Amino acid sequence: MGGEISPWMTEELSILRDQVRRFLEREFVPCRERWEEAGVVDREAWKKAGATGLLCASIPEAYGGGGGTRAHDVVIAEETGRAGLGGGFGAGNGVHSNIVAHYILAYGTEEQKQCWLPCMASGEMIGAIAMTEPGTGSDLQSVRTTARRDGDAYVIAGQKTFITNGQNADLVLVVAKTDPAAGAKGVSIIAVETATASGFRRGRNLQKIGMHAQDTSELFFDDVRTPVGNLLGGVEGQGFKQLMVQLAWERLSCAFGAVVAMERAVELTADYVKERKAFGQSILDFQNTQFKLAEAKTHAVIARTFVDQLMVRLLAGTLDPTTAAMAKWWTTDMQCKVIDECLQFFGGYGYMTEYPIARMYADARVQKIYAGTNEVMKLLIARTL
Ligand SMILES: Cc1cc2nc3c(=O)[nH]c(=O)nc-3n(C[C@H](O)[C@H](O)[C@H](O)COP(=O)(O)OP(=O)(O)OC[C@H]3O[C@@H](n4cnc5c(N)ncnc54)[C@H](O)[C@@H]3O)c2cc1C
């Protein structure tokens, strides 16, 4: 938007970007309304995404992935957002490819990687991560779900909520206490294969104010027996540490989503205000419109410059969680502000869901809540003062 090409972009990534854009326009954009009505992206689409290379792009080829880097994931996520699919397939794939697959790659035993990653890359298995519970979200150490060792199995008991991909998920990484007395050191991550897990139940597909094509659910674990081999990494008590290490990337992913949304909002609004007339002139001719859109574009460019710089650091392995937390809270706050101001220029049409800006407004709000609330981001930053 500022006319600059992101410093982490390469020719290969530009080709990928074109391919992804064409695929989404042809295959997914026509399905968007149907998915929004159903509250879920259908499984066939996940398989198509897998066959096209949209899933697990940065997982090594040896495990069925695309063999790319995090930059490949970002390009796919950016195009998904630009196509208006961020609040459905985009969010689901973010959890599936960028989070769940990478937990397995980073911490899984060789057997776990061989078993789950190829199925995730093809879209046969859809991944979810279940941390949040009805009684605790931000304070992860206080999760009450337990995983008790019983012979060659863990018996998982508890309840999770707000789980992305909850209705579709075949593989759920469950955050549970293997030693309830040990605080953070008693937290482990155990994979539950939903097809064979007796005692596993999905609750409602929750009704949200936005992201209507994304299934977000309650999950129930009524003494679910899971083989001990499903403990991520094979050693108990590593869960909290595992969660913390991945955070920089998860936060940066949110920030990229925010930047793309701001850029799209400014573009859509600039187009609209050139066409729409009031008092004998276009809406863009009013100085208020010019100043507000100038501010919005400036915010989008500043945000883009910051996240691009962090992406360079992420690829070099030098991005720290605190700077990523800064990017997460600031860009998502700005996303909500910019979209709100852009929506105003659409007048009543901005309130109608058939206009993309209205859906973007509703989809944006959760960005300040999930992946660690923006208040929690500030807490983390404040600790470094
Ligand atoms: C659409 C959607 C998808 C989601 N997907 C997933 C998923 O896939 N997996 C998953 O596990 N979870 C998921 N979540 C849950 C999400 O991560 C939590 O909602 C979030 O972490 C906040 O937890 P909470 O809702 O329990 O809020 P709480 O922790 O109860 O927080 C309530 C308020 O108190 C503030 N607060 C809390 N602690 C402090 C503090 N120390 N200082 C200052 N303020 C504080 C918070 O910032 C917030 O404003 C999803 C949520 C939504 C809405």
Side-chain angles (χ1 to χ4, degrees), residues 73 75 89 118 134 140 144 206 213 235 257 263 297 305 332 347 362-363 371 382:
D73 292 326
V75 165
F89 175 70
L140 256 184
R144 294 179 59 185
L206 299 165
V235 181
E263 291 171 345
K297 183 167 179 175
T305 311
T332 57
D363 288 355

Side-chain angles (χ1 to χ4, degrees), residues 129-132 136-138 162-164 208 211 366 369-371 373 375 379:
I129 182 153
M131 300 176 269
T132 308
T136 191
S138 304
F162 306 147
I163 307 307
T164 300
K208 305 183 292 295
M211 300 222 305
V366 74
I369 297 169
Y370 60 17
T373 66
E375 292 73 33
L379 264 180

Side-chain angles (χ1 to χ4, degrees), residues 21 24-25 28-33 35-36 41 76-91 211-214 260-261 264-265 268 353 355-357 359-360 363:
R21 187 174 297 175
L24 292 173
E25 276 302 324
F28 280 13
V29 171
C31 304
R32 189 187 46 76
E33 265 180 52
W35 291 340
E36 286 186 356
V41 173
I76 292 167
E78 285 189 332
E79 288 312 309
T80 308
R82 281 196 188 110
L85 299 160
F89 175 70
M211 300 222 305
H212 288 144
Q214 177 24 240
V260 169
R264 183 165 181 248
L268 289 171
T353 52
Y355 277 72
I357 196 74
R359 291 196 301 274
M360 291 173 74
D363 288 355

